[in-house]
Amino acid sequence: MRTRRFMTAALLAGVALLGTAGTAVADSPSPSPSSSGSGAGPTEAGTSFRTATPVQPGQRATAGASTGDYLYWVVPVDTGQRATMKAKVTLPKAARHGASTWQIDVYDGLRRRQACVYGAQTRAAAADAASVEVSCTLRTVRSWAEQSSNDPLPGSYYVRLTVTGLPQDDLGLPVKAEFEPSVDEAGGAYAVDGKLSKPLVPGVATADPEDGSSASPAPAAGKRSAGALEPEGGWSSGRWSDRWVWTAVGALLAALAGIFGYSVTRGSGRPSRVPPGV
């Protein structure tokens, strides 16, 4: 009876702790796809890394361009997030001379080209196609990595969309581009112990505390600085991981299992047989 009561108490404690862990994970400060900025985004795109147009995950950016232009956007991606960059190009209705090939590339804050683990990064559009879509899903962003590795780190991610192959006579035809980034939370399975002191965000103005001057030029009027772009709620930089909760839950359940095992194996403290006359 005592063993049964102990098992029931341990089970109830484990269920309560698991519920607490789920709540803690849900309250993580890292932004989720549903809480990110949504709705209409910017209506233009940059033409280089320095002029990339900032876009929040969940927003849909649009831009008019000419075939052959390089279009740039920049997206903030935080620790524990897996980003997916999708782009759609609406091709001109005018007669075209042949097929065209479109490609999307993603670079991190150090301008290192990041590999795509999912998605069609390059696609060909037939001469009579109305549109073409490309996408790139990155690896999960880590809070820290070795210097020799190419792991994605928290910070700004630059997205470049361009045509890589088409007949010469089709250069300059008008196109319409749509770009929409999204992020998914990966959780503590990808957490590491180290973290960056600051996210990789190039172009952030650094002020001199003595004279208040800025080391970086101010952005042009009407343009938002890419360095000012950050996830809603700010950068986490690895300050939280649900791995902490699961580690504590596992340790407590192991302790309860040890106590239960001791209570089962120690016996009643009396010999199983009592000799006659004792």
Side-chain angles (χ1 to χ4, degrees), residues 58-266:
Q59 288 186 327
R60 182 186 296 270
T62 58
S66 299
T67 306
D69 290 345
Y70 286 87
L71 304 181
Y72 285 83
W73 295 275
V74 57
V75 183
V77 185
D78 207 354
T79 301
Q81 294 180 342
R82 173 173 289 179
T84 298
M85 313 296 186
K86 295 182 179 180
K88 177 182 179 181
V89 181
T90 301
L91 302 172
K93 297 181 179 179
R96 302 191 297 272
H97 296 80
S100 58
T101 303
W102 294 81
Q103 180 170 309
I104 187 172
D105 297 296
V106 184
Y107 300 83
D108 65 7
L110 298 177
R111 297 188 184 180
R112 302 176 302 179
R113 188 172 182 271
Q114 292 294 318
C116 303
V117 293
Y118 303 111
Q121 184 179 5
T122 303
R123 272 188 173 173
D128 57 349
S131 63
V132 60
E133 297 183 11
V134 290
S135 66
C136 175
T137 299
L138 303 177
R139 293 171 295 168
T140 302
V141 172
R142 302 167 66 89
S143 60
W144 179 84
E146 295 289 345
Q147 294 182 357
S148 59
S149 71
N150 198 37
D151 291 337
L153 297 171
S156 299
Y157 281 77
Y158 294 86
V159 180
R160 182 178 69 188
L161 176 66
T162 188
V163 62
T164 59
L166 81 165
Q168 188 70 22
D169 294 337
D170 288 344
L171 280 174
L173 292 178
V175 294
K176 179 182 178 182
E178 299 178 15
F179 169 65
E180 183 175 6
S182 62
V183 295
D184 294 321
E185 300 291 342
Y190 292 86
V192 293
D193 294 331
K195 65 179 181 179
L196 296 179
S197 58
K198 293 182 180 180
L200 300 178
V201 182
V204 177
T206 55
D208 189 334
E210 296 182 358
D211 58 10
S213 62
S214 175
S216 300
K223 284 259 189 178
R224 185 180 179 188
S225 172
L229 186 67
E230 63 180 27
E232 292 186 358
W235 297 100
S236 67
S237 297
R239 66 171 175 254
W240 166 257
S241 171
D242 55 9
R243 185 177 63 171
W244 301 350
V245 178
W246 293 109
T247 301
V249 171
L252 185 54
L253 291 179
L256 291 175
I259 296 174
F260 170 70
Y262 174 75
S263 66
V264 171
T265 57
R266 71 176 181 175

